[in-house]
CSV table of all heavy atoms in Angstrom, one decimal:
chain,number,residue,atom,x,y,z
A,287,ASP,N,63.5,122.1,-28.8
A,287,ASP,CA,64.0,123.0,-27.8
A,287,ASP,C,65.4,123.6,-28.0
A,287,ASP,O,66.3,122.8,-28.4
A,287,ASP,CB,64.0,122.4,-26.4
A,287,ASP,CG,62.6,122.3,-25.8
A,287,ASP,OD1,61.7,122.9,-26.4
A,287,ASP,OD2,62.4,121.7,-24.8
A,288,VAL,N,65.6,124.9,-27.9
A,288,VAL,CA,66.9,125.5,-28.0
A,288,VAL,C,67.1,126.4,-26.9
A,288,VAL,O,66.1,126.9,-26.3
A,288,VAL,CB,67.0,126.2,-29.4
A,288,VAL,CG1,67.1,125.3,-30.6
A,288,VAL,CG2,65.9,127.3,-29.5
A,289,PRO,N,68.3,126.7,-26.5
A,289,PRO,CA,68.5,127.6,-25.3
A,289,PRO,C,68.3,129.0,-25.7
A,289,PRO,O,68.6,129.5,-26.8
A,289,PRO,CB,70.0,127.3,-25.0
A,289,PRO,CG,70.6,126.9,-26.2
A,289,PRO,CD,69.6,126.2,-27.0
A,290,SER,N,67.7,129.7,-24.7
A,290,SER,CA,67.6,131.2,-24.8
A,290,SER,C,68.3,131.7,-23.6
A,290,SER,O,68.2,131.2,-22.5
A,290,SER,CB,66.1,131.6,-24.8
A,290,SER,OG,65.5,131.4,-26.0
A,291,ILE,N,69.0,132.8,-23.8
A,291,ILE,CA,69.8,133.5,-22.7
A,291,ILE,C,68.9,134.6,-22.1
A,291,ILE,O,68.4,135.4,-22.8
A,291,ILE,CB,71.1,134.0,-23.2
A,291,ILE,CG1,71.8,133.0,-24.1
A,291,ILE,CG2,72.0,134.5,-22.0
A,291,ILE,CD1,72.4,131.8,-23.4
A,292,THR,N,68.8,134.6,-20.8
A,292,THR,CA,68.0,135.6,-20.1
A,292,THR,C,68.9,136.2,-19.0
A,292,THR,O,69.9,135.7,-18.7
A,292,THR,CB,66.7,135.0,-19.4
A,292,THR,OG1,67.2,134.2,-18.3
A,292,THR,CG2,65.9,134.2,-20.4
A,293,ALA,N,68.4,137.3,-18.5
A,293,ALA,CA,69.2,138.0,-17.4
A,293,ALA,C,68.2,138.5,-16.3
A,293,ALA,O,67.1,138.7,-16.5
A,293,ALA,CB,69.9,139.2,-18.0
A,294,ASP,N,68.8,138.5,-15.1
A,294,ASP,CA,68.1,139.2,-14.0
A,294,ASP,C,68.9,140.4,-13.7
A,294,ASP,O,69.9,140.4,-12.9
A,294,ASP,CB,68.1,138.2,-12.8
A,294,ASP,CG,67.5,138.8,-11.5
A,294,ASP,OD1,67.1,140.0,-11.6
A,294,ASP,OD2,67.5,138.2,-10.5
A,295,PRO,N,68.6,141.6,-14.4
A,295,PRO,CA,69.5,142.7,-14.3
A,295,PRO,C,69.7,143.2,-12.8
A,295,PRO,O,70.8,143.7,-12.6
A,295,PRO,CB,68.6,143.8,-15.0
A,295,PRO,CG,67.8,143.1,-16.0
A,295,PRO,CD,67.5,141.8,-15.2
A,296,ALA,N,68.8,143.0,-11.9
A,296,ALA,CA,69.0,143.4,-10.5
A,296,ALA,C,70.1,142.6,-9.9
A,296,ALA,O,70.8,143.1,-8.9
A,296,ALA,CB,67.7,143.2,-9.7
A,297,SER,N,70.5,141.4,-10.4
A,297,SER,CA,71.5,140.6,-9.8
A,297,SER,C,72.9,140.8,-10.6
A,297,SER,O,73.9,140.2,-10.2
A,297,SER,CB,71.2,139.1,-9.8
A,297,SER,OG,69.9,139.0,-9.3
A,298,VAL,N,72.8,141.5,-11.7
A,298,VAL,CA,74.1,141.6,-12.4
A,298,VAL,C,75.0,142.6,-11.7
A,298,VAL,O,74.6,143.8,-11.4
A,298,VAL,CB,73.8,142.1,-13.9
A,298,VAL,CG1,75.1,142.4,-14.7
A,298,VAL,CG2,73.0,141.1,-14.6
A,299,GLU,N,76.2,142.2,-11.4
A,299,GLU,CA,77.1,143.1,-10.6
A,299,GLU,C,77.7,144.2,-11.4
A,299,GLU,O,77.7,145.4,-11.0
A,299,GLU,CB,78.2,142.2,-10.0
A,299,GLU,CG,77.7,141.4,-8.9
A,299,GLU,CD,78.7,140.3,-8.5
A,299,GLU,OE1,79.7,140.2,-9.1
A,299,GLU,OE2,78.3,139.4,-7.6
A,300,ASN,N,78.2,143.9,-12.6
A,300,ASN,CA,78.8,145.0,-13.4
A,300,ASN,C,78.2,144.9,-14.9
A,300,ASN,O,78.7,144.1,-15.7
A,300,ASN,CB,80.3,144.8,-13.4
A,300,ASN,CG,81.0,145.9,-14.1
A,300,ASN,OD1,80.4,146.6,-15.0
A,300,ASN,ND2,82.3,146.0,-13.8
A,301,PRO,N,77.2,145.7,-15.1
A,301,PRO,CA,76.5,145.5,-16.4
A,301,PRO,C,77.5,145.7,-17.6
A,301,PRO,O,77.4,145.0,-18.6
A,301,PRO,CB,75.4,146.6,-16.4
A,301,PRO,CG,75.2,146.9,-14.9
A,301,PRO,CD,76.5,146.6,-14.3
Side-chain angles (χ1 to χ4, degrees):
Chain A
D287 279 352
V288 291
S290 284
I291 314 290
T292 67
D294 176 1
S297 310
V298 174
E299 287 164 3
N300 185 339

